[in-house]
Amino acid sequence: MPGEPPGRVYITTEAAGQKLRKVRERLGLRFRDVEEASQKLALRYGNEEFVIGLSRLSEIENRGLLPTIYRLYSLSTIYRLDYVELLSWYGITLGEQAADSQMIPLSNTHIVGFRSTHEDSVKAPLSLDPGIDLRQTTYLNRWIETWGPLPLTLFREEDLEKKKIGFLGTQDWSMYPILRPGSLLLLEEVRKIATSGWKTEWERPIYFLMQRDAYLVGWCSLERDRLVVLPHHSSNLPPRVFLYPGEVDVLGVVKGAAMLFDQGDQRPQK
């Protein structure tokens, strides 16, 4: 469909009806069997909307009639189908709900009530090598011992499997207040340093770099064979200059961060 996000598959109601028919036939159910089963559900809930009459079921299967939410529940229950999967047959993918909501901004602060499903999670670090020093900025992929599922519903548009994770040391104030010490950083691989394309410091790319024995983050500028790493001006730290390439490697640019907001009293005194 024009203007829709790429990668999403839309199924017509006719195609969904045909799939329902095939399921019914595999189960050996007649129209009358489905109607009688749906009547039991209607009796249990005291709601006739659950009933699927013979002619209605025929229209659903053969003419692409869209079932109501009640009849869809009856069909999923009688056919032993997952309700969420059945919705997807009609083009409703609940796993996309949170990402879709980002296209509809709300001005008021609010709670996000979407539930995460197994499709809305990515692998994230559950345990780290005990030898890691979290006071120092670290490239976590080298220290992760165990990975497990982490719900990241709002990040479905990101191709998280192709990204890496860094950890900003608990004593690394170089990009404060944009990045707080102790932040988990989502990194995207880049091949060159950007020299323009931003209007404010919040839009300027922050790079994750590797030295021989340490890691650092910062804004970068390239002057011939010199890479200048610029900390945030609020950090009161000086710029650092490296031969490039040679003394430092660029591992990626920071595309996202998970931060704690209780470290203000831990900042070193000027």
Side-chain angles (χ1 to χ4, degrees), residues 4 6 23 66 73 90 94 97-98 123 143-144 156 182 218 223 233 261:
E4 299 295 345
V23 173
L66 184 66
Y73 178 83
Y90 286 92
L94 292 186
Q97 192 176 19
K123 294 295 184 180
W143 296 89
I144 295 170
R156 284 186 59 84
E223 301 174 5
H233 51 80
F261 291 92

Side-chain angles (χ1 to χ4, degrees), residues 129-141:
D129 189 316
I132 188 174
D133 183 358
L134 294 181
R135 294 172 299 177
Q136 306 297 320
T137 297
T138 305
Y139 188 50
L140 276 188
N141 285 68

Side-chain angles (χ1 to χ4, degrees), residues 41-91:
L41 291 171
L43 181 62
R44 178 180 183 184
Y45 293 109
N47 186 346
E48 289 296 318
E49 291 294 327
F50 286 95
V51 175
I52 308 174
L54 303 179
S55 60
R56 190 58 52 89
L57 181 56
S58 177
E59 291 178 333
I60 291 173
E61 290 186 358
N62 302 312
R63 297 185 179 181
L65 178 69
L66 184 66
T68 66
I69 57 174
Y70 301 101
R71 294 190 179 103
L72 206 62
Y73 178 83
S74 292
L75 289 170
S76 68
T77 302
I78 297 167
Y79 295 170
R80 309 303 196 262
L81 294 172
D82 180 76
Y83 190 80
V84 174
E85 180 182 357
L86 190 49
L87 284 176
S88 72
W89 291 6
Y90 286 92

Side-chain angles (χ1 to χ4, degrees), residues 258-269:
M259 296 184 284
L260 297 176
F261 291 92
D262 60 351
Q263 302 207 22
D265 57 348
Q266 300 178 27
R267 186 175 183 181
Q269 298 297 319

